[in-house]
């Protein structure tokens, strides 16, 4: 029997928000996105949610992602993420996910984050959780700026390509491995391992889980890192078993707040 691993989707699985959306406000503040980008991003996010598993929709989302990020200085993106990580991400890590990650480590498994968000975002979030292995979207870089080309879009079936490549490199037995996700778009990821589980699933994924008798987990307790360390383990894993790319929609959180502010003022 080979080694095994646990593959975790990130958004709404490990953290209680979209990792890309979380950085929308500082990206807007620092001039990387405009108000027009905010509206377009909101639309792209909506289309992905409504039909994200469709190959054509994923291609459109990938192309939008590439166009949005073209020309961004890579170091500026990394600096924004580093400066705001503890404020925007740390308080939203599910205690149940943190406990489950620790349990997999205790059982001798490697833990891997697999996300459609950009590597520049996902890797620091992984480091926050003590995870060094990441499969994420990678943008081409020329002279320190994103060129507008996507080298690897970690969404849908492409996530499985990344997982299988890493499994071949590390000698993982995928039949003995685990995967966790909240979205039906990750059906290929869940089906490529022997032990899939769904977390806070959307309607389509909940139906699929029921049909396949997959465990359904409900994560409800985001807890900052400091509290998790003081109260370890914050939430027992058993208690949980009750049941897109860099900036695919990075402005939607700011946009929603902006609209509420305008409505309140009228």
């Amino acid at each position: 029997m080979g080694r095994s691993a646990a593959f975790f989707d990130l958004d709404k699985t490990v953290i209680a928000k979209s990792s890309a959306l979380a950085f929308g406000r500082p990206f807007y503040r620092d001039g990387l996105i405009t108000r027009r980008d905010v509206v377009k991003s909101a639309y792209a996010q909506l289309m992905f949610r409504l039909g994200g598993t469709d190959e054509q929709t994923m291609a459109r989302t990938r192309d939008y992602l590439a166009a949005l990020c073209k020309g961004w200085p890579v170091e500026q993106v990394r600096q924004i993420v580093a400066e705001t990580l503890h404020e925007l991400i740390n308080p939203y890590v599910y205690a149940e996910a943190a406990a489950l990650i620790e349990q997999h480590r205790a059982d001798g498994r490697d833990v891997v984050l697999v996300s459609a968000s950009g590597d520049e975002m996902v890797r620091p979030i992984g480091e926050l959780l003590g995870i060094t292995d990441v499969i994420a979207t990678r943008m081409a870089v020329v002279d320190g700026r994103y060129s507008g080309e996507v080298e690897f879009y970690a969404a849908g079936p492409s996530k499985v390509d990344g997982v299988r490549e890493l499994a071949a490199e590390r000698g993982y037995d995928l039949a003995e491995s685990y995967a966790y996700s909240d979205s039906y778009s990750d059906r290929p990821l869940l089906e490529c391992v022997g032990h899939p589980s769904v977390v806070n699933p959307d309607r389509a994924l909940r139906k699929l889980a029921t049909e396949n008798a997959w465990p359904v987990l409900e994560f409800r307790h985001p807890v900052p890192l400091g509290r998790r360390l003081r109260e370890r383990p914050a939430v027992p894993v058993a208690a949980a078993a009750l049941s897109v790319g860099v900036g695919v929609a990075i402005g939607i959180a700011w946009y929603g707040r902006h609209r509420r502010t305008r409505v309140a003022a009228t």
Side-chain angles (χ1 to χ4, degrees):
M1 183 181 298
R3 298 167 59 193
S4 63
F7 300 94
F8 284 80
D9 176 46
L10 180 60
D11 300 347
K12 308 297 178 65
T13 301
V14 173
I15 60 175
K17 56 165 54 181
S18 162
S19 53
L21 301 185
F23 297 103
R25 292 181 65 192
F27 282 171
Y28 175 81
R29 177 199 65 204
D30 285 20
L32 292 180
I33 58 175
T34 66
R35 293 190 180 188
R36 184 166 178 262
D37 293 329
V38 168
V39 176
K40 290 174 66 178
S41 296
Y43 178 76
Q45 174 73 2
L46 176 62
M47 291 300 99
F48 187 82
R49 283 293 176 185
L50 291 178
T53 58
D54 175 78
E55 189 173 326
Q56 192 173 34
T57 301
M58 285 191 175
R60 286 199 300 267
T61 304
R62 179 202 61 212
D63 293 343
Y64 170 73
L65 160 67
L68 178 67
C69 300
K70 185 177 182 179
W72 289 9
V74 178
E75 281 307 313
Q76 184 180 3
V77 172
R78 289 175 176 160
Q79 183 177 354
I80 291 172
V81 172
E83 290 175 351
T84 58
L85 183 68
H86 285 273
E87 173 192 353
L88 299 178
I89 299 297
N90 181 34
Y92 298 95
V93 176
Y94 284 121
E96 298 94 333
L100 186 56
I101 287 168
E102 289 191 8
Q103 185 61 58
H104 278 299
R105 286 192 184 121
D107 291 341
R109 295 185 192 90
D110 291 346
V111 176
V112 184
L113 285 184
V114 188
S115 175
S117 291
D119 187 87
E120 289 78 8
M121 295 179 184
V122 179
R123 197 165 294 279
I125 295 173
E127 291 172 359
L128 184 70
L129 296 163
I131 298 172
T132 57
D133 293 319
V134 165
I135 296 170
T137 294
R138 298 190 302 272
M139 308 293 292
V141 176
V142 176
D143 296 330
R145 294 177 180 267
Y146 296 119
S147 69
E149 301 293 328
V150 179
E151 289 184 348
F152 176 71
Y153 184 42
S158 293
K159 282 190 175 182
V160 178
D161 294 340
V163 165
R164 287 178 174 156
E165 182 178 340
L166 185 62
E169 177 185 324
R170 300 280 182 83
Y172 296 145
D173 182 352
L174 292 181
E176 296 296 328
S177 294
Y178 293 71
Y180 302 87
S181 178
D182 72 302
S183 174
Y184 187 82
S185 64
D186 280 335
R187 177 176 181 170
L189 171 66
L190 295 166
E191 290 180 336
C192 84
V193 299
H195 302 282
S197 294
V198 303
V199 177
N200 303 339
D202 57 34
R203 182 178 301 178
L205 184 58
R206 187 178 293 273
K207 182 175 182 291
L208 181 67
T210 300
E211 292 171 350
N212 289 276
W214 293 347
V216 178
L217 311 180
E218 301 289 348
F219 291 175
R220 294 287 183 258
H221 303 91
V223 177
L225 178 61
R227 275 188 58 192
R228 292 199 302 275
L229 292 177
R230 289 195 303 271
E231 302 170 7
R232 183 181 295 176
V235 176
V237 174
L242 299 175
S243 323
V244 152
V246 173
V248 167
I250 53 179
I252 192 172
W254 177 90
Y255 177 68
R257 182 174 179 179
H258 180 66
R259 281 186 58 87
R260 288 195 297 273
T261 303
R262 289 183 60 187
V263 170
T266 57

